[in-house]
Amino acid sequence: MAGQQLGVLNALDVAKTQWYHFTAIVIAGMGFFTDAYDLFCISLVTKLLGRIYYTDIKDPKPGVLPPNVQAAVTGVALCGTLAGQLFFGWLGDKMGRKRVYGLTLMLMVVCSIASGLSFGSSAKGVIATLCFFRFWLGFGIGGDYPLSATIMSEYANKKTRGAFIAAVFAMQGFGILAGGIVALIVSSSFDHHYKVPTYKENPQASLVLPAFDYVWRIILMFGAVPAALTYYWRMKMPETARYTALVAKNAKQAASDMSKVLQVDLEAEEEKVKEITESQTQKFGLFSKEFAKRHGLHLLGTTTTWFLLDIAFYSQNLFQKDIFSAIGWIPPSQNMNAIHEVYRIARAQTLIALCSTVPGYWFTVAFIDYMGRFAIQLMGFIFMTIFMFALAIPYDHWTKKENRIGFVVMYSLTFFFSNFGPNATTFVVPAEIFPARLRSTCHGISAAAGKAGAIVGAFGFLYASQSKDPKKTDKGYPTGIGVKNSLIMLGVINFLGIIFTLLVPESKGKSLEELSGENEDEGAEAIEMQGSARTVPV
């Protein structure tokens, strides 16, 4: 039998949805809004960077970033994010969620501004400075993943916990949408003011310097605004009761903090906290046999599914503009001026975000506590696999002018089911199923595995999606396997996601301590472990 739950934690579990829940969603969610904006806005401006710093007006086509530079610019923030997830995830369990939370936000604000101020007298200098600041921007973003998820899961009640954590993650959809909208506003303002010819008409006049150099800087720097606005409120949030009681072992502080939050009188159960925290079942570490026995398969499930999902998700986002070019949504670069190209790419990505990315996230919020995490994740991977193969196998059919709208609809549906599916659930589940003293660390490890997948997607598919015909590749790139074969590979990756989802446990409707085994009696450990081994809900 499970041991008795602490009163303060039980009060959080059974609390009705209150104002503080929504406050926590907004405070944590604005961090995610900023994360998504900062990570995805770079793909809107890479073509412009290529034109500004790598154009030779004697060439028939405008300049593009060389392959190694393109890979560095798009991938360096992901590398920083991976490092930040591991470091701040570990730090959140050592120092407390709240103390580390403000640090990540300040790092994001400073580095967003610094990215836009990237300096240098040469192309190499500007790009090197940009990459330096985007690495540290990513480092701050990385910390937001485990901390936001852990804080929200530890504040939420058990009835609607999934929806609350998913709502924090859903702010990512608005961040992607905001990136597109900001790019549309900035680029259309410059486009209307300067009214320059296309590159084909006049290569030199199609690029107005230094004016157009401000465009990408403004777009990148805007990411600092939402993060700065929420800093004060983050600092006012009390530490979560689960960290204070179960990790810091301070029953009085936990009861005092949650009495103010819940507006009820809560007793400080010091003896019970001492009994729980000194139990042998609560002393095993991350690298112990006991952890491997209890949570090893769970951690394998959360890391592999997030890794596979992010290969598909980030490669889709990062070579979105290439797909749009291939199907004719974006004209050949020489038929546009520099700023109009930014406008066309932003418009295409905003439409995808509006029609599929944002709705997908909020479908998850609406249904996660009814359908459960397992069902949504499995369904998402299945539909992503189906739609990827449906796009890839008759790819030549989709490239014909009369079928382009159908292609975009199918492509949008893969995005919809990644967000109403594993993109949300891989974020939610690791924040629920591990013990409080390892929760932030394990979420950080799972998220870092995801970012490793994103790096594979961003770097690998940048090259893979190039045409097999040397005449049709982007300047400086070797021939690749083409968009069709890239989509087939992504379909296979999504299929593997279906298989590894079977390792992920269902956490719907249970308290965090029930899921992690933190309130169980030592004598009941064997019985509890048999129950927690089940992965598929029945």
Side-chain angles (χ1 to χ4, degrees):
M1 245 183 90
Q4 199 180 347
Q5 172 81 305
L6 278 174
V8 66
L9 304 187
N10 189 56
L12 283 166
D13 279 342
V14 299
K16 289 181 179 176
T17 301
Q18 297 176 37
W19 182 247
Y20 81 88
H21 286 125
F22 295 107
T23 307
I25 289 169
V26 171
I27 293 167
M30 284 311 286
F32 256 85
F33 177 97
T34 308
D35 297 351
Y37 181 96
D38 289 333
L39 283 177
F40 292 108
C41 69
I42 195 68
S43 65
L44 299 167
V45 299
T46 50
K47 296 268 189 186
L48 179 61
L49 287 169
R51 284 194 186 234
I52 293 170
Y53 296 109
Y54 293 92
T55 292
D56 181 348
I57 57 170
K58 294 169 192 166
D59 286 347
K61 286 185 180 180
V64 294
L65 294 176
N68 59 332
V69 175
Q70 172 84 12
V73 168
T74 53
V76 71
L78 301 177
C79 296
T81 306
L82 189 156
Q85 285 163 335
L86 292 171
F87 177 72
F88 287 116
W90 168 78
L91 206 61
D93 283 334
K94 293 296 173 194
M95 290 175 58
R97 292 41 161 151
K98 183 192 169 180
R99 286 176 72 184
V100 183
Y101 212 26
L103 183 62
T104 63
L105 204 65
M106 282 314 297
L107 197 55
M108 284 154 61
V109 171
V110 170
C111 292
S112 283
I113 295 167
S115 294
L117 298 174
S118 298
F119 51 83
S121 56
S122 65
K124 200 176 277 187
V126 173
I127 298 296
T129 316
L130 175 63
C131 288
F132 174 80
F133 287 122
R134 280 193 64 80
F135 175 86
W136 291 107
L137 172 66
F139 195 69
I141 288 170
D144 228 47
Y145 276 73
L147 294 168
S148 290
T150 302
I151 286 169
M152 199 64 243
S153 76
E154 293 182 346
Y155 263 111
N157 60 48
K158 63 184 178 184
K159 187 180 175 186
T160 55
R161 186 180 61 236
F164 290 157
I165 306 171
V168 169
F169 193 65
M171 293 299 283
Q172 193 178 66
F174 288 123
I176 295 169
L177 186 62
I181 292 168
V182 169
L184 281 174
I185 293 167
V186 175
S187 60
S188 59
S189 303
F190 276 78
D191 202 19
H192 282 102
H193 185 267
Y194 287 97
K195 292 185 170 53
V196 296
T198 67
Y199 185 87
K200 197 173 185 179
E201 291 166 346
N202 189 334
Q204 196 155 7
S206 73
L207 186 65
V208 181
L209 294 174
F212 286 7
D213 194 48
Y214 297 138
V215 172
W216 68 269
R217 296 175 186 275
I218 293 166
I219 292 168
L220 295 187
M221 288 169 77
F222 188 81
V225 175
L229 291 175
T230 51
Y231 182 76
Y232 170 76
W233 299 107
R234 273 201 185 186
M235 291 299 92
K236 286 198 71 172
M237 279 180 90
E239 181 58 86
T240 71
R242 285 179 162 91
Y243 181 85
T244 308
L246 299 174
V247 185
K249 305 175 187 178
N250 189 338
K252 276 186 182 174
Q253 189 64 50
S256 168
D257 287 344
M258 291 308 109
S259 293
K260 290 173 192 169
V261 168
L262 295 167
Q263 297 179 329
V264 292
D265 289 326
L266 293 167
E267 187 187 340
E269 301 166 290
E270 294 184 68
E271 284 302 314
K272 201 186 281 186
V273 165
K274 192 176 178 184
E275 189 183 316
I276 290 170
T277 55
E278 290 185 2
S279 161
Q280 285 305 308
T281 61
Q282 303 312 317
K283 290 189 175 177
F284 59 85
L286 182 65
F287 299 105
S288 65
K289 284 182 182 175
E290 188 65 21
F291 178 87
K293 188 171 102 180
R294 286 168 171 258
H295 301 292
L297 281 178
H298 297 162
L299 188 59
L300 179 65
T302 58
T303 51
T304 50
T305 50
W306 207 337
F307 174 77
L308 293 164
L309 177 272
D310 269 10
I311 293 176
F313 188 78
Y314 276 81
S315 62
Q316 284 180 74
N317 265 303
L318 291 165
F319 72 91
Q320 216 174 64
K321 58 184 180 293
D322 301 310
I323 288 180
F324 290 141
S325 297
I327 63 161
W329 260 35
I330 298 170
S333 55
Q334 64 268 29
N335 294 346
M336 296 179 282
N337 64 49
I339 218 69
H340 193 62
E341 187 172 36
V342 176
Y343 177 84
R344 295 294 286 258
I345 293 166
R347 188 179 68 174
Q349 291 199 192
T350 303
L351 282 169
I352 289 288
L354 200 58
C355 298
S356 65
T357 308
V358 172
Y361 283 117
W362 291 98
F363 264 73
T364 303
V365 174
F367 292 108
I368 192 167
D369 288 310
Y370 298 99
M371 292 174 65
R373 288 69 160 152
F374 180 88
I376 287 177
Q377 184 161 315
L378 196 67
M379 174 197 72
F381 270 128
I382 288 168
F383 278 112
M384 284 171 73
T385 306
I386 291 167
F387 286 121
M388 272 299 174
F389 284 128
L391 283 173
I393 295 163
Y395 182 69
D396 295 333
H397 165 81
W398 297 117
T399 55
K400 290 172 185 167
K401 195 169 185 179
E402 64 272 19
N403 302 322
R404 283 172 183 170
I405 297 301
F407 180 94
V408 174
V409 169
M410 296 278 279
Y411 185 71
S412 297
L413 283 168
T414 62
F415 261 83
F416 175 81
F417 281 107
S418 68
N419 294 315
F420 181 31
N423 196 34
T425 55
T426 51
F427 178 79
V428 173
V429 174
E432 299 180 305
I433 62 175
F434 299 107
R437 67 188 182 282
L438 299 170
R439 187 169 290 133
S440 179
T441 304
C442 289
H443 195 285
I445 291 167
S446 302
K451 278 299 165 285
I455 291 163
V456 171
F459 284 85
F461 283 94
L462 194 64
Y463 289 87
S465 61
Q466 293 297 319
S467 173
K468 293 182 198 175
D469 182 351
K471 292 174 187 171
K472 292 183 181 177
T473 60
D474 287 338
K475 186 180 176 184
Y477 284 82
T479 53
I481 59 172
V483 175
K484 176 176 178 171
N485 291 330
S486 296
L487 292 170
I488 290 172
M489 281 179 69
L490 293 175
V492 172
I493 287 163
N494 291 329
F495 178 74
L496 291 173
I498 297 170
I499 295 165
F500 281 102
T501 293
L502 301 175
L503 297 174
V504 179
E506 179 56 75
S507 50
K508 181 181 79 168
K510 297 175 183 175
S511 77
L512 296 178
E513 288 66 44
E514 194 182 342
L515 288 161
S516 64
E518 283 169 291
N519 63 350
E520 69 183 29
D521 296 329
E522 288 180 59
E525 184 183 343
I527 299 167
E528 287 290 316
M529 278 307 299
Q530 285 172 16
S532 68
R534 183 184 290 120
T535 59
V536 183
V538 291

